[in-house]
């Protein structure tokens, strides 16, 4: 899917869709939250994925939507059982998503 297609699918004007997506990609401009959510939906990814710089967290976010509710609960329990120095940031993330 081209940048223009993604932008159009996210509701951007067809005349500015490609340059606007390019600006977001390069970091020249940052989309408003509503726009980021529509872009994420167009791409089939969670909006949080667009904001993380952590590769491991990105992998978790991409996988999160395909997990069952029970698998999510089990993962949260696993994280909660880990020593605090390893689980602090993941614990906070999981509390916000349940």
């Amino acid at each position: 899917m081209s940048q223009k297609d993604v932008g159009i699918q996210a509701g951007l004007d067809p005349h500015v869709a490609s340059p606007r997506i390019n600006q977001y990609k390069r970091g020249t401009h940052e989309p408003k939250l509503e726009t980021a959510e529509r872009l994420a939906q167009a791409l089939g990814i969670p909006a949080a994925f667009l904001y993380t710089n952590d590769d491991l967290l990105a992998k978790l976010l991409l996988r999160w939507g395909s997990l069952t509710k029970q698998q999510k609960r089990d993962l949260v329990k696993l994280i909660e059982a880990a020593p605090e120095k390893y689980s602090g940031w993941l614990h906070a993330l999981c509390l916000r998503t349940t």
Side-chain angles (χ1 to χ4, degrees), residues 4-19:
K4 183 176 182 176
D5 293 338
V6 170
I8 292 170
Q9 194 170 0
L12 299 177
D13 182 296
H15 298 292
V16 299
S18 183

Side-chain angles (χ1 to χ4, degrees), residues 10-63:
L12 299 177
D13 182 296
H15 298 292
V16 299
S18 183
R20 180 88 57 88
I21 298 299
N22 194 329
Q23 291 171 347
Y24 296 155
K25 189 175 176 182
R26 289 182 296 140
T28 307
H29 290 84
E30 187 171 318
K32 293 180 182 179
L33 180 58
E34 302 83 33
T35 304
E37 288 173 342
R38 290 194 316 265
L39 289 168
Q41 185 175 14
L43 293 167
I45 60 173
F49 179 83
L50 299 173
Y51 294 97
T52 185
N53 291 324
D54 184 311
D55 290 341
L56 293 175
L57 180 56
K59 287 180 182 183
L60 177 63
L61 290 168
L62 287 176
R63 214 31 231 288

